[in-house]
Amino acid sequence: MEAVLTLMWVLVPAFVLVHGAVCDVRTREVPDWHWAVIGVLGSVLCSLSCLDEAGVCAAVCLVVGAVLLTTYILTDPPALVRASMVIAALVFYAVPLTVEPGDPFATAGLASAVAFFLFYGMYLVGLLQGGADAKCLMTLALAFPVYPETPWTPAIWNVAYPESLIFSPAVSTLVVGLVLSMACAIWVLSVNVRRRCFGRRMLTTYSMPVQEARDAHLWPAERLGEKGTVQCCRCLDKGDVLDALEAAGVADVRVTPMIPFILPLAAAFAVTTVLGSPLALMIGA
């Protein structure tokens, strides 16, 4: 029964991530129900799978804390209610450590809450560009405070406690996802090489007609400045940038693809749950 629960713990979020990746590729939008399933159902399956090692108190507190934090990012209640959710969630994550100090599962649960807010902070400062990307990693942190002990355990790259508190499944998924997303840079490079367009941005941008850029999934990498085109940030409205360039008679604009990051994250999650974390190589595991 425990093996079945563990497989469900892995497969349910995996299927949700695959569906989310399909939505991201097609529309560049992922409905929030994906993250509700991962954050809530994932944490429930985690607690049930680890019940023998975790104890009832830690398992229940993990689920309640995950439900509160998932609700926090997927709803928009008044500020006081949101603050109460965060405080209550942190209390639930901390309670098991007072009941059983030093319990690895309880410690991992609290570390998952820390990772949740780390990803949230990365989104606020712009290190994670998409809201769906941030919600994906935040809910994965809640659902996977520890690595699942799957039938193929031990994995090739096994991260043991206490290193797993830092090199957690969600952190490993982010790192592997970033590496996999570099495939886009290779494609952009090939476009520039075919066009014999070389320069310092040949790995990140390429040129295309302004009119074609309007209907493509991409960001303008340059905008109209006082003395011609200058580098453009993604916070500006795409339509406004292209309108200004077209009005100034600019025919071509350098662009950067909108990478559907949920796709490499889904692939990275599969790598992490099947093979383990390559970050284990950093600690000599």
Side-chain angles (χ1 to χ4, degrees), residues 2-285:
E2 183 178 341
V4 174
L5 286 172
T6 302
L7 282 174
M8 291 179 61
W9 176 25
V10 174
L11 292 179
V12 170
F15 284 128
V16 172
L17 281 174
V18 169
H19 188 273
V22 172
C23 294
D24 203 16
V25 170
R26 290 179 174 176
T27 66
R28 296 305 191 273
E29 293 183 0
V30 185
D32 280 346
W33 66 261
H34 293 81
W35 320 129
V37 171
I38 292 178
V40 175
L41 185 56
S43 63
V44 170
L45 292 171
C46 170
S47 295
L48 292 175
S49 301
C50 303
L51 195 57
D52 290 342
E53 297 83 3
V56 175
C57 177
V60 171
C61 286
L62 174 76
V63 172
V64 176
V67 170
L68 287 170
L69 291 182
T70 302
T71 305
Y72 169 77
I73 62 169
L74 298 183
T75 61
D76 189 25
L80 182 60
V81 176
R82 287 171 60 84
S84 300
M85 286 180 180
V86 171
I87 294 172
L90 293 177
V91 169
F92 275 105
Y93 277 110
V95 163
L97 287 174
T98 64
V99 177
E100 296 184 33
D103 176 30
F105 186 82
T107 306
L110 185 58
S112 72
V114 173
F116 174 94
F117 288 106
L118 173 64
F119 292 133
Y120 190 35
M122 291 173 66
Y123 171 70
L124 292 178
V125 301
L127 292 178
L128 287 172
Q129 292 287 339
D133 306 338
K135 292 173 184 176
C136 174
L137 291 167
M138 291 161 75
T139 52
L140 282 177
L142 300 178
F144 291 89
V146 296
Y147 286 90
E149 294 186 3
T150 54
W152 48 85
T153 301
I156 296 176
W157 302 307
N158 187 33
V159 182
Y161 180 87
E163 289 84 358
S164 60
L165 297 177
I166 299 175
F167 302 107
S168 65
V171 171
S172 299
T173 297
L174 172 61
V175 172
V176 176
L178 289 172
V179 173
L180 294 177
S181 67
M182 289 302 293
C184 180
I186 298 174
W187 179 80
V188 172
L189 175 63
S190 68
V191 171
N192 286 318
V193 169
R194 289 198 307 270
R195 298 176 179 177
R196 297 184 180 181
C197 181
F198 304 101
R200 63 183 180 87
R201 294 193 294 170
M202 62 185 297
L203 285 172
T204 57
T205 69
Y206 60 95
S207 181
M208 74 182 308
V210 173
Q211 283 296 332
E212 293 183 16
R214 292 185 180 278
D215 299 323
H217 292 297
L218 47 79
W219 283 289
E222 54 189 11
R223 61 177 175 84
L224 188 65
E226 295 181 358
K227 299 180 180 180
T229 57
V230 296
Q231 188 169 348
C232 179
C233 68
R234 297 179 183 178
C235 61
L236 299 178
D237 182 79
K238 173 185 173 182
D240 292 343
V241 172
L242 296 178
D243 286 342
L245 290 171
E246 188 173 21
V250 178
D252 296 316
V253 59
R254 293 198 70 82
V255 298
T256 183
M258 289 183 181
I259 302 174
F261 195 44
I262 301 300
L263 180 61
L265 285 180
F269 177 76
V271 170
T272 301
T273 52
V274 174
L275 301 179
S277 174
L279 294 173
L281 300 175
M282 297 175 57
I283 56 178

